Amino acid sequence: MDEIVYYDRYRKENCVEKVYGDKALRWTYGTVAGRISLNLLVKRALFSHWYGWRMDRPATRQKIPAFIQDYQLDASEFARDVDEFANFNEFFFRELKPSARPIDPDPAAAVFPADGRHLCIPDLSQADGLFVKGETFDLGSLLKDPALADRYANGSLLLSRLCPVDYHRFHFPAAGVPGPTRLINGPLYSVNPIALCQNIQILATNKRCITELETEAFGTVLVLEIGATCVGSICQTYTSGTEVAKGSEKGYFRFGGSSTITIFPAGRIRFDQDLIENSQQHRELYARVGDHLGTAS
């Protein structure tokens, strides 16, 4: 995979992703020595915890201005001034001003749960693949609950991939009452398409969290967070059993690229057409938290 091409909803054009750590990623997943390193060290939690610890060091705050410039981030969206971050990790899981991510007001709409690049599967029983035609992960392996996998076998799925350059807080796609989070431990492979094109099952085996969200408009929605290489931890900030508004914060990832998965019951959502059309071509669509994702059906 030479380039990662996605469709930008706002610019209405295809774009080539500028990958953070591109050379290291391609070496790890594209060479024999890299794959050996991957299995011996990189996929293991200890490596990611060590890297997260490094990003907590005060000296790393020196990286922030160059990172903002290199990836053209809009610092006016940040809830804090750039010089207030004590280290790179604080900057990485930064909060934004509410005005930076307005929530779609349509009561029948679901919204994107994260800034990132998104793919959808309208009917999991007829999935044609995600990044590669014919390659889809196993739902039973993802959920680690056969009864739950059966319930959502014909459901609709949204995969949201967050790059290291993205805003790294994740939000609820609809209003409702969330239950407790169930943690499933696993390795920490990269969730970049360079890795996923070689093994889509990474999404179903990496460390992950599952929360059931009871909603009026969509039924019980499954909300998952997927860990990845160099993700120090998945931090939940919501309160189980307490009603949440659409678009309210659920939690955040510490350093590293990551993903979320949202699964709707069968026949309960109509995804937006631009999302469907790009997903059919195995091309991600870039959209931000709070923007229209689909409508209840």
Side-chain angles (χ1 to χ4, degrees):
M1 190 173 194
D2 295 328
E3 294 180 330
I4 300 170
V5 178
Y6 63 92
Y7 181 79
D8 189 308
R9 168 179 275 191
Y10 312 102
R11 295 166 59 179
K12 298 189 182 304
E13 64 183 11
N14 291 339
C15 302
V16 175
E17 182 176 323
K18 184 177 180 181
V19 179
Y20 177 82
D22 179 70
K23 290 182 179 179
L25 189 63
R26 293 182 187 278
W27 177 82
T28 301
Y29 288 88
T31 68
V32 173
R35 287 191 287 271
I36 292 172
S37 170
L38 173 68
N39 287 294
L40 290 177
L41 177 63
V42 176
K43 73 173 185 178
R44 302 185 186 281
L46 183 62
F47 175 82
S48 293
H49 290 316
W50 168 78
Y51 203 90
W53 173 85
R54 278 191 62 194
M55 294 299 104
D56 282 335
R57 300 304 93 197
T60 60
R61 67 197 305 261
Q62 300 173 6
K63 298 175 178 284
I64 298 172
F67 189 92
I68 291 172
Q69 182 175 3
D70 288 348
Y71 293 96
Q72 300 180 326
L73 303 185
D74 184 358
S76 70
E77 295 182 338
F78 303 170
R80 298 164 61 183
D81 290 336
V82 172
D83 58 6
E84 292 180 11
F85 297 112
N87 52 58
F88 194 87
N89 225 342
E90 278 194 7
F91 159 71
F92 180 78
F93 57 77
R94 61 194 174 274
E95 294 179 284
L96 301 181
K97 297 172 183 175
S99 59
R101 296 294 182 272
I103 308 302
D104 189 285
D106 182 355
V111 298
F112 286 103
D115 279 19
R117 293 132 192 88
H118 311 273
L119 290 168
C120 75
I121 301 176
D123 183 344
L124 281 164
S125 68
Q126 300 180 33
D128 184 40
L130 284 163
F131 293 96
V132 179
K133 185 177 176 64
E135 293 291 334
T136 309
F137 59 82
D138 178 66
L139 188 62
S141 299
L142 174 72
L143 300 178
K144 284 287 185 182
D145 183 329
L148 199 60
D150 286 343
R151 277 173 54 195
Y152 290 86
N154 298 89
S156 304
L157 179 144
L158 174 77
L159 171 63
S160 304
R161 180 176 64 90
L162 294 71
C163 298
V165 302
D166 290 323
Y167 165 63
H168 258 70
R169 290 180 180 255
F170 44 87
H171 297 245
F172 287 103
V177 179
T181 292
R182 173 164 61 99
L183 172 65
I184 302 175
N185 271 313
L188 292 169
Y189 290 104
S190 171
V191 294
N192 186 281
I194 293 169
L196 295 176
C197 283
Q198 295 187 22
N199 181 13
I200 195 67
Q201 300 304 325
I202 285 172
L203 291 170
T205 55
N206 267 15
K207 177 181 176 180
R208 55 209 182 275
C209 297
I210 302 176
T211 306
E212 295 189 24
L213 175 66
E214 301 289 344
T215 78
E216 183 176 341
F218 303 97
T220 303
V221 179
L222 303 183
V223 183
L224 294 83
E225 295 84 41
I226 313 296
T229 304
C230 294
V231 174
S233 55
I234 304 169
C235 304
Q236 305 289 343
T237 58
Y238 80 100
T239 301
S240 175
T242 300
E243 188 170 359
V244 297
K246 178 173 64 177
S248 61
E249 183 183 301
K250 184 176 188 287
Y252 62 89
F253 294 106
R254 292 173 69 85
F255 187 79
S258 323
S259 290
T260 71
I261 291 176
T262 309
I263 306 176
F264 296 87
R268 297 302 296 268
I269 189 169
R270 294 191 304 272
F271 289 126
D272 290 345
Q273 195 60 33
D274 61 348
L275 176 61
I276 292 173
E277 290 174 356
N278 281 280
S279 296
Q280 287 174 340
Q281 298 181 57
H282 312 291
R283 180 174 56 224
E284 297 165 300
L285 175 139
Y286 175 74
R288 295 188 284 263
V289 167
D291 283 349
H292 200 284
L293 156 67
T295 306
S297 59

